[in-house]
Amino acid sequence: MVRTAGSDGVKTLQAIRKAGVKRIYKHGFEAMKLRSLAEDVGIQAGSLYNYIRNKEEFLFLLLKEVLEELLEGLERELAGIDDPKEALIRFINFHLRWHTARKEEVFIGNMELRSLSKQHLQEIIRMRTEYESRLRRILERGNEAGEWSVADPQVISYSIIASLTGVCNWYSPRGRLSQDEIIAIYTDHVLGAVGAR
């Protein structure tokens, strides 16, 4: 986002981002008014333009930052892991923990792509494809190592990600199962689905 200098600027930018996520999640991007967002943060509406150029750019930068955090987190999770089965287990664990902790951003990322300009949409799709390709490469390595036999790693990677991300629609920390129990169930399910040894 535009302004980053100074601690007050950084804190205000973080407050704008947090308030924006809540507003978009609750009301949708099209219904979010910049004036209302400024009121949530306690600044003048005109002051928003010190931080963002326009509403669409705000959405793009929000989604871009979320995907950057996601990709960096996955990179750390998989660093130094050569065994494809262990990499798949770590991918499942990371994906479920990250997505259940960031349900609002995940919802926005899935529902508001239509509100992006063509150029911004292409950039977000490129980043999402980069994330999906990490899983596809794990599946391909597992095929090569004889850990499993997946006929179409790209299609199966889409299927796995859709299944794992779907947890966001119903997961509650106060629910019947703990996060660890849910991760164990999904890990068994995915390993069984790919035919892991």
Side-chain angles (χ1 to χ4, degrees):
M1 298 187 187
V2 179
R3 179 176 174 177
T4 56
S7 60
D8 288 342
V10 171
K11 287 178 185 175
T12 302
L13 188 56
Q14 290 171 343
I16 292 168
R17 184 184 188 279
K18 185 176 180 181
V21 167
K22 288 190 179 304
R23 278 209 167 262
I24 297 170
Y25 180 73
K26 187 173 181 181
H27 303 290
F29 176 74
E30 293 302 327
M32 184 185 79
K33 304 290 184 240
L34 290 182
R35 182 174 299 281
S36 299
L37 179 58
E39 289 172 3
D40 291 345
V41 180
I43 61 175
Q44 295 294 320
S47 298
L48 271 179
Y49 296 103
N50 293 323
Y51 302 92
I52 59 173
R53 291 186 181 92
N54 56 56
K55 196 168 106 167
E56 188 273 339
E57 185 191 63
F58 172 77
L59 177 64
F60 166 67
L61 292 174
L62 171 65
L63 296 179
K64 184 172 182 274
E65 288 170 9
V66 167
L67 282 165
E68 285 171 346
E69 292 171 22
L70 180 68
L71 287 163
E72 289 167 9
L74 182 62
E75 190 69 31
R76 286 191 300 272
E77 186 69 26
L78 297 178
I81 305 301
D82 295 321
D83 178 61
K85 185 176 178 181
E86 177 62 24
L88 180 57
I89 291 169
R90 284 186 177 229
F91 181 94
I92 296 164
N93 189 302
F94 170 79
H95 189 94
L96 288 172
R97 288 189 191 282
W98 198 94
H99 282 70
T100 52
R102 309 286 291 274
K103 288 174 67 171
E104 292 177 345
E105 287 102 326
V106 172
F107 178 84
I108 293 168
N110 288 330
M111 298 303 294
E112 298 296 352
L113 292 179
R114 65 185 183 271
S115 300
L116 292 172
S117 68
K118 183 178 179 181
Q119 180 182 353
H120 286 161
L121 177 61
Q122 288 173 342
E123 176 64 10
I124 295 303
I125 289 174
R126 183 196 65 75
M127 296 176 78
R128 287 170 66 135
T129 301
E130 185 179 341
Y131 182 79
E132 292 161 358
S133 72
R134 295 301 306 271
L135 176 57
R136 189 193 72 240
R137 289 196 295 271
I138 291 169
L139 296 175
E140 290 169 347
R141 284 182 11 232
N143 275 353
E144 292 162 7
E147 285 284 354
W148 48 68
S149 180
V150 173
D152 192 320
Q154 184 169 358
V155 171
I156 298 304
S157 69
Y158 294 155
S159 173
I160 291 171
I161 287 174
S163 173
L164 297 178
T165 304
V167 172
C168 295
N169 296 325
W170 56 265
Y171 170 75
S172 168
R174 297 177 299 279
R176 178 173 60 87
L177 298 171
S178 71
Q179 189 180 54
D180 287 340
E181 288 173 315
I182 291 168
I183 289 171
I185 290 167
Y186 269 81
T187 300
D188 286 346
H189 171 70
V190 172
L191 291 176
V194 300
R197 288 191 289 118

